Amino acid sequence: VPQDPMDFEWSYWVEWGRERILWLLAGHLLVSQMSRLLVEKYKPWCLMAYGMAACWLLLGIKGFAVILLHAAISFAVAQFQLSLLTWLCSLVLLATLRIPAVEETKRRWYDTENEYYLLLFTVSVRCLFCTSFSLEYCWHAPSQKSSHSFPWMLAYVFYYPTFHNGPLVNFDEFSKQMRRQEAFSVKTNLIILIVGIIRIFFWWCLAELMIHLMYIHALYSSALPLESASYWALGGLALAQVLFFYVKYLVLYGVPGLLLQMDGLKPPALPCCVSLMHSFTKMWRLISVKSLTALHICHFTCRYIYVPMGGSQSSLLGTLFSTALTFAFVSYWHGGQSYLWYWGALNWLGVIVENGTKRILSISLIQDLI
């Protein structure tokens, strides 16, 4: 049975995985386990060197130079220890990815569009890592600055399991866990690896089954079947799409999550099943704090935008503003196209309506009526 070709993301990462990325991840695993076994103290630098070599191999010297330049600029701006300046720097660096002349120049570096897109996706995710490091640098006391050196930034930015597509681990969590030296057991790690591979293989088979038999995305790409479908059928299609989305990210984040675990780090929790979600606010809270879906920057925006801007602890207007800013950044980071702004606005509206309804229902008079 031919597969549904309309889900670009799944097809793209599966193709790259088969060609090179899975082999490079296997190489990372080998370097990691050898360094844990023989030179635990130097593990971060061994993994940094491997990540740089893998980046050079896949993206070429020019792609490697772009990521290194972004890191150097972010680090230089962080020295001023001004969060607002760090954010301006991050937004400018993201904006450079969408300048037509710059896009054309980068396209000419590669033979295929797929290679250019790999650079684009990688640099977009690296921007988040650079921003995380810079903001943590701004927030820490001078006595703690030694743990926020440029070599540590490079170890964080070039950490290969999360290099191309995330998930995002903030710098403080990464550095604390990477510095921690603990007992290493080959047998325990082997069991973790085997169980993890079996689980990921099951999720991959399920995703492949869905994409070969259900044709959800092909149906969405044509207006005619959607116009003729009943509301029940449309609801079923919407549920099928988000369930595929969920299974897809069990695989795409399950693989780096397993490698994080093998490296002695705590991986971000995998996404919660969307079928268990009945509250709009709870869905976003779980995405932001407990788990990461394709919007893996939600954890990032919660820590670096929503909470610093006051979040739920501020006034009503403050909460509205911090929530709006969070969704605005998510929309901008994903490309800033008009449909993404509509998506952000509708999500913001959904959260506001639900929270507003909860506040109204908490009034004693309304509770008495109920």
Side-chain angles (χ1 to χ4, degrees), residues 153-213:
M153 183 185 195
L154 294 181
Y156 175 57
V157 168
F158 285 98
Y159 181 67
Y160 195 68
T162 61
F163 191 68
H164 298 294
N165 194 38
L168 192 125
V169 181
N170 75 55
F171 176 73
D172 264 21
E173 290 174 3
F174 175 84
S175 63
K176 283 173 188 172
Q177 293 175 31
M178 191 63 82
R179 288 169 193 275
R180 187 178 63 221
Q181 296 186 18
E182 52 187 24
F184 176 71
S185 167
V186 175
K187 184 181 176 182
T188 303
N189 261 23
L190 190 60
I191 292 169
I192 292 170
L193 181 64
I194 292 168
V195 172
I197 288 172
I198 291 169
R199 291 175 69 191
I200 292 165
F201 181 71
F202 171 76
W203 297 329
W204 177 78
C205 288
L206 182 57
E208 283 290 318
L209 196 66
M210 292 172 82
I211 210 164
H212 276 83
L213 299 179

Side-chain angles (χ1 to χ4, degrees), residues 75-121:
F75 185 78
V77 171
Q79 303 310 301
F80 293 99
Q81 298 184 39
L82 297 171
S83 297
L84 182 59
L85 195 60
T86 291
W87 270 114
L88 286 172
C89 173
S90 300
L91 293 173
V92 169
L93 289 175
L94 277 173
T96 60
L97 303 180
R98 292 159 203 157
I99 299 171
V102 176
E103 284 183 325
E104 271 311 306
T105 302
K106 289 176 181 175
R107 273 191 168 90
R108 286 197 293 270
W109 296 348
Y110 301 106
D111 298 326
T112 64
E113 281 285 292
N114 272 4
E115 289 174 293
Y116 164 71
Y117 282 129
L118 186 65
L119 174 67
L120 183 65
F121 297 150

Side-chain angles (χ1 to χ4, degrees), residues 223-278:
L224 190 63
L226 296 179
E227 287 170 355
S228 59
S230 67
Y231 290 133
W232 281 104
L234 290 174
L237 280 171
L239 179 60
Q241 189 180 45
V242 294
L243 285 172
F244 176 75
F245 186 82
Y246 161 65
V247 173
K248 172 171 67 176
Y249 271 88
L250 287 178
V251 177
L252 295 184
Y253 283 170
V255 173
L258 176 59
L259 289 175
L260 279 159
Q261 209 172 348
M262 296 294 291
D263 290 347
L265 309 179
K266 184 181 178 183
L270 289 171
C272 295
C273 181
V274 289
S275 296
L276 302 176
M277 296 294 103
H278 65 275

